Amino acid sequence: MRIVDLRSDTVTRPTREMRKAMAEAEVGDDVFGEDPTVRKLEEAAADRLGKEAALFVTSGTMANLVSLMVHCGRGGEMILGDQAHIFYYEQGGSAAVGGIHPRTVPNRPDGTVDLDAVAAAVRADDVHFPRSRLLVLENTHNRCNGSPLDAGYMTEAGDLAHGLGLKLHVDGARIFNAAVALGTTPAELVAPADSASFCLSKGLSAPVGSMVCGSGAFVAEARRARKLLGGGMRQAGILAAAGLVALTRMVDRLEEDHQNAKRLAEGLAGIEGLAVSLERVRTNLVFIDTRETGMTAPELVDRLKALGTLCLASGPQQIRAVTHHPLSAADIDGALTAFREAVS
Ligand SMILES: *Cc1c(COP(=O)(O)O)cnc(C)c1O
């Protein structure tokens, strides 16, 4: 049985070209700043995001944490959406490790937050209050249908943040998906941001790693925070080599993932009992409402698994399916057959 794994784009495997590049990578001790392949990746990432500098880190979680630590300091407050990955899925590391206080504002279904609500959440200068330091946006927004946030909104948010004396960090784990979906560049989307992270290990298919980009001064501080967290890696060029292939070879094909997500969503919408909001499927994430099937999401996920299609239950009545390399249209059709059978 061919397994169609739609649980996450983190299950992508390194391509043959990546493995070759890894085997042949020139390396050195990166904590001494002597790994040429890491340097090359950091330059390429900074260039793609239109920033002065970049830092190679182990994960998206670490990319976010070092950024928040630099911008907020201990006791500082960040304002972020209540559906943010940083708020939901990072173990509260910003508080546990960074001493940062989170202040949430509601996310709308398109991943944005109301900028008036952000302005209202900023603290007055008062001895009772923490100091507001940072606004965080997520693009694409994972828990909000993988929605891409457009350049107009990003600019407005940046202007607002800076006008209020806040920095702006973008959790851009899937910023390349956003850029492809919106027909723009990641640099344009993060131009208003003081820092932006992205994952090499999701749709871009590298085995390990994320980047965090910003000014030279910001990245110098982020590098210190990375070392503090135990993230100083030595001959990391072995990993960076795959990241370079990811950046140069795997971005343009993301469009294929988006088309497959659309194909999946349209097929699912035609299955009795399943509900999908088609206009919300704009990148590679598909959320499926299972209420009308009479089954809970975990029950349906178990049935699908027995049929060779893997998905995640993202709520009691919600399933998440993610398209990624190298899934084809035929794989999507196979998954649709499994869904039809599982529901009937
Ligand atoms: C996956 C993800 C992260 C974290 O990345 P890891 O590499 O899994 O730590 C952060 N933010 C968003 C929006 C993500 O989807």
Side-chain angles (χ1 to χ4, degrees):
M1 179 165 56
R2 179 163 165 81
I3 303 294
V4 180
D5 192 345
L6 299 170
R7 289 172 302 168
S8 177
D9 46 9
T10 55
V11 304
T12 45
R13 311 266 168 89
T15 61
R16 195 181 294 275
E17 194 179 350
M18 286 180 193
R19 288 177 184 268
K20 184 164 182 295
M22 293 171 80
E24 293 168 2
E26 244 189 278
V27 297
D29 188 329
D30 182 53
V31 177
F32 292 163
E34 291 173 2
D35 190 302
T37 310
V38 171
R39 284 181 164 204
K40 208 166 148 194
L41 173 62
E42 289 177 343
E43 278 165 27
D47 189 51
R48 286 301 284 267
L49 262 66
K51 300 295 183 199
E52 242 170 61
L55 180 70
F56 183 45
V57 293
T58 56
S59 66
T61 301
M62 188 183 278
N64 284 330
L65 182 54
V66 299
S67 302
L68 306 178
M69 287 169 72
V70 171
H71 291 309
C72 296
R74 295 192 68 81
E77 189 169 71
M78 63 176 170
I79 301 170
L80 77 177
D82 62 356
Q83 301 299 311
H85 191 282
I86 288 172
F87 188 64
Y88 250 86
Y89 295 125
E90 297 180 14
Q91 232 187 79
S94 51
V97 181
I100 297 158
H101 194 250
R103 179 97 184 261
T104 58
V105 291
N107 270 119
R108 298 184 284 215
D110 67 356
T112 61
V113 292
D114 178 355
L115 296 178
D116 291 336
V118 172
V122 173
R123 306 279 192 164
D125 183 10
D126 180 310
V127 74
H128 295 88
F129 298 150
R131 288 183 169 137
S132 306
R133 298 292 193 198
L134 179 70
L135 171 63
V136 179
L137 294 175
E138 187 174 315
N139 198 2
T140 63
H141 201 294
N142 188 332
R143 283 182 59 86
C144 295
N145 307 288
S147 301
L149 279 56
D150 66 34
Y153 177 79
M154 299 301 285
T155 301
E156 237 182 285
D159 289 348
L160 176 99
H162 295 142
L164 294 165
L166 308 179
K167 303 282 192 196
L168 173 63
H169 172 68
V170 176
D171 176 356
R174 296 187 181 84
I175 195 73
F176 285 93
N177 293 84
V180 165
L182 295 166
T184 181
T185 61
E188 188 184 5
L189 294 177
V190 305
D194 299 281
S195 59
S197 59
F198 69 88
C199 291
L200 295 161
S201 58
K202 291 186 171 166
L204 300 185
S205 306
V208 179
S210 282
M211 307 303 300
V212 50
C213 308
S215 69
F218 165 82
V219 168
E221 286 303 303
R223 196 177 292 281
R224 282 188 63 83
R226 181 186 70 172
K227 189 77 178 82
L228 173 68
L229 298 174
M233 298 181 282
R234 302 297 178 174
Q235 284 71 40
I238 294 277
L239 301 171
L244 276 164
V245 175
L247 265 189
T248 49
R249 309 280 290 180
M250 302 302 282
V251 172
D252 291 342
R253 63 152 305 288
L254 291 174
E255 176 58 30
E256 197 179 325
D257 297 344
H258 299 175
Q259 280 165 10
N260 281 334
K262 204 157 172 247
R263 185 184 188 92
L264 178 67
E266 282 166 359
L268 292 169
I271 298 174
E272 177 119 13
L274 299 177
V276 180
S277 174
L278 289 180
E279 69 277 6
R280 295 236 173 267
V281 179
R282 299 191 48 201
T283 60
N284 66 330
L285 271 58
V286 179
F287 288 88
I288 306 141
D289 187 323
T290 64
R291 248 169 305 183
E292 298 294 314
T293 61
M295 274 179 277
T296 65
E299 281 166 355
L300 191 50
V301 163
D302 281 347
R303 283 202 185 194
L304 286 165
K305 188 176 177 187
L307 296 164
T309 288
L310 308 182
C311 294
L312 282 184
S314 49
Q317 295 289 354
Q318 190 189 60
I319 289 177
R320 189 185 82 159
V322 186
T323 55
H324 53 77
H325 181 78
L327 294 178
S328 63
D331 291 320
I332 299 306
D333 293 345
L336 286 169
T337 303
F339 267 98
R340 244 173 250 118
E341 204 169 320
V343 167
S344 68

